[in-house]
Amino acid sequence: MNVIYPLAVPKGRRLCCEVCEAPAERVCGACTVTYYCGVVHQRADWGSIHEKICQLLIPLRTSMPFYNSEEERQHGLQQLQQRQKHLIELCYTVAQKYIFEGKHEDAVPAALHSLRFRMNVHGLSSVELVPAYLLLAEASLGLGRVVQAEEYLSQAQWTVLKSTECSYAIHSLLHRNLGLLYMAKENYEEARYHLANDIYFASCAFGTEHIRASGGYFHLANIFNGLKKLDLADTLYTKVSEIWNKYLNDHYQVLSQARIQQIDLLGKRFETDTGLDEAQEAEAIQILTSILNIRESTSNKAPQKTIFVLKILFMLYFLMMNSSKAKEYALRALHLAKKQKLSVQEQDTIQGLLNLISVEEAQPIT
């Protein structure tokens, strides 16, 4: 980190902090194109996103080279825009992942970067800015900054209202965040209204049984659970569990079929894949572990429901190639099945999951 010397700054140029936009006093020594008001915000940005994008910012924030022809100049501009689009998605995914992991403070700098890159590529009034506004709103709610969250949501709503081309997916995200806002304000009637709209728009965009619709069902279940309407909450938690079970089981069965057909003739370890990005994996973990905690609190009444969620978490971690966590959930499922004296068939099914982990661990990595 280098201190900025005022006399070295070109006249008329104002350098702003990357995090808070206050006058900058320091510059990143690695890229020399990112500025901060002080050490605290530099460390926050580095820990959140800057470490991942430091060198990628240099070509975006330095003067374009001289081109010999208009064709070369256009090619250079296209490359610049592609880099910015890549950074939009990278920063957005990183911020989302932090939010699902409960790291709301870390999410803010990454979300701000995504917003600024969106402004550069799409302009100041584009509906493409809305996902970044919503991330910042959700991070603000997680930090207990309700007023700030309302400001970001108002900006998102206004942008959507002005737009003639707003997708169902963005409408879904907007209503979900409005639902979370009203949950934080304990206005559960308004929260239910917005979460119902979230589910409707997500279903229009992706289908009623798609994982992108599961978040709305999950938050709606949390409202009913908090209001002690346990039957409604139970129905919705089951719905969410079934959505994730179907999605992960489809990927799991493809892998199992590949094993049966012995596609990998060279004896290499099979590659697994959830089909999810890092943020979606974090969302799945957050949703499913939350449901598991609720199920475990009543596992004496309905052990099968607890075991069902444990097996879904096994599939998730197995497909994420985290054998230790997958094994942990399978062992917990087996222990509960034996404790509750469930059928031998159920116990054998769970034992089969553990056997699969043992085979996986025994295979050489090539």
Side-chain angles (χ1 to χ4, degrees):
M1 173 64 75
N2 300 325
V3 176
I4 296 171
Y5 295 99
L7 292 176
V9 179
K11 188 177 180 180
R13 187 181 178 194
R14 182 173 177 266
L15 302 179
C16 299
C17 175
E18 194 73 23
V19 177
C20 68
E21 297 188 345
E25 296 181 1
R26 293 172 176 266
V27 61
C28 172
C31 67
T32 70
V33 293
T34 309
Y35 304 94
Y36 303 97
C37 61
V39 175
V40 173
H41 279 178
Q42 187 273 337
R43 287 177 179 163
D45 192 37
W46 182 264
S48 169
I49 189 67
H50 191 71
E51 183 181 12
K52 299 177 180 69
I53 66 173
C54 182
Q55 296 303 302
L56 299 176
L57 294 173
I58 297 173
L60 298 180
R61 295 181 174 178
T62 51
S63 300
M64 288 183 67
F66 175 78
Y67 293 108
N68 293 318
S69 68
E70 178 63 19
E71 185 180 349
E72 286 183 2
R73 193 180 76 83
Q74 288 299 326
H75 179 68
L77 286 171
Q78 286 176 0
Q79 283 190 318
L80 197 65
Q81 195 169 57
Q82 286 302 117
R83 289 193 184 103
Q84 288 183 321
K85 287 180 177 179
H86 168 70
L87 286 169
I88 285 171
E89 294 307 317
L90 174 61
C91 296
Y92 183 78
T93 300
V94 168
Q96 264 193 320
K97 184 172 184 282
Y98 283 137
I99 285 172
F100 290 130
E101 291 174 343
K103 300 175 182 177
H104 300 99
E105 197 79 58
D106 290 334
V108 173
L112 283 171
H113 274 290
S114 181
L115 178 60
R116 292 192 191 109
F117 289 130
R118 287 169 189 270
M119 288 176 172
N120 291 340
V121 173
H122 302 290
L124 298 178
S125 59
S126 170
V127 74
E128 293 295 332
L129 274 55
V130 171
Y133 285 133
L134 297 178
L135 273 185
L136 287 163
E138 195 168 351
S140 298
L141 282 176
L143 294 167
R145 301 168 186 166
V146 176
V147 173
Q148 190 175 47
E150 285 182 303
E151 289 174 1
Y152 283 126
L153 282 168
S154 294
Q155 189 66 51
Q157 278 185 293
W158 177 241
T159 305
V160 168
L161 283 171
K162 289 191 298 180
S163 172
T164 56
E165 298 179 357
C166 188
S167 68
Y168 287 138
I170 288 180
H171 276 292
S172 166
L173 286 173
L174 176 60
H175 282 289
R176 183 170 305 179
N177 279 268
L178 287 167
L180 293 174
L181 171 68
Y182 285 108
M183 284 174 70
K185 297 171 77 170
E186 298 184 359
N187 184 341
Y188 298 117
E189 185 176 346
E190 197 70 22
R192 289 202 302 268
Y193 166 77
H194 285 293
L195 290 172
N197 275 290
D198 164 27
I199 293 167
Y200 168 75
F201 284 114
S203 298
C204 289
F206 309 105
T208 55
E209 306 300 314
H210 196 278
I211 56 171
R212 294 284 288 270
S214 70
Y217 291 119
F218 172 68
H219 293 301
L220 201 54
N222 287 341
I223 291 176
F224 288 127
N225 192 54
L227 295 172
K228 304 302 179 186
K229 296 182 178 180
L230 301 184
D231 287 344
L232 285 170
D234 178 74
T235 300
L236 289 167
Y237 286 134
T238 299
K239 174 79 171 177
V240 175
S241 301
E242 287 172 347
I243 287 172
W244 279 102
N245 178 65
K246 183 181 184 308
Y247 176 85
L248 292 168
N249 191 52
D250 286 346
H251 283 73
Y252 179 74
Q253 292 302 325
V254 168
L255 178 67
S256 299
Q257 193 63 33
R259 290 182 183 282
I260 292 168
Q261 294 175 356
Q262 296 183 334
I263 289 173
D264 193 359
L265 301 175
L266 299 176
K268 295 179 181 177
R269 180 190 289 265
F270 277 80
E271 289 296 322
T272 57
D273 181 23
T274 60
L276 307 170
D277 63 30
E278 286 186 352
Q280 290 170 319
E281 288 179 348
E283 180 185 23
I285 292 168
Q286 184 229 0
I287 287 175
L288 292 168
T289 52
S290 296
I291 294 174
L292 177 63
N293 291 335
I294 291 163
R295 293 305 193 206
E296 285 186 323
S297 67
T298 57
S299 62
N300 289 333
K301 297 178 183 177
Q304 294 91 340
K305 291 180 179 179
T306 305
I307 289 171
F308 184 54
V309 181
L310 285 166
K311 289 197 290 187
I312 300 169
L313 280 161
F314 162 83
M315 286 190 292
L316 175 62
Y317 280 106
F318 180 75
L319 292 169
M320 289 172 63
M321 300 181 74
N322 188 335
S323 296
S324 62
K325 291 292 288 186
K327 187 175 183 178
E328 174 195 329
Y329 285 113
L331 284 170
R332 285 168 66 178
L334 184 61
H335 173 74
L336 182 59
K338 289 180 176 179
K339 180 182 176 182
Q340 297 293 333
K341 298 180 180 178
L342 299 187
S343 68
V344 174
Q345 183 181 2
E346 180 67 65
Q347 293 183 37
D348 287 345
T349 300
I350 300 167
Q351 187 61 55
L353 303 180
L354 285 166
N355 294 342
L356 186 60
I357 289 290
S358 299
V359 171
E360 193 70 19
E361 291 176 337
Q363 281 188 328
I365 299 173
T366 56

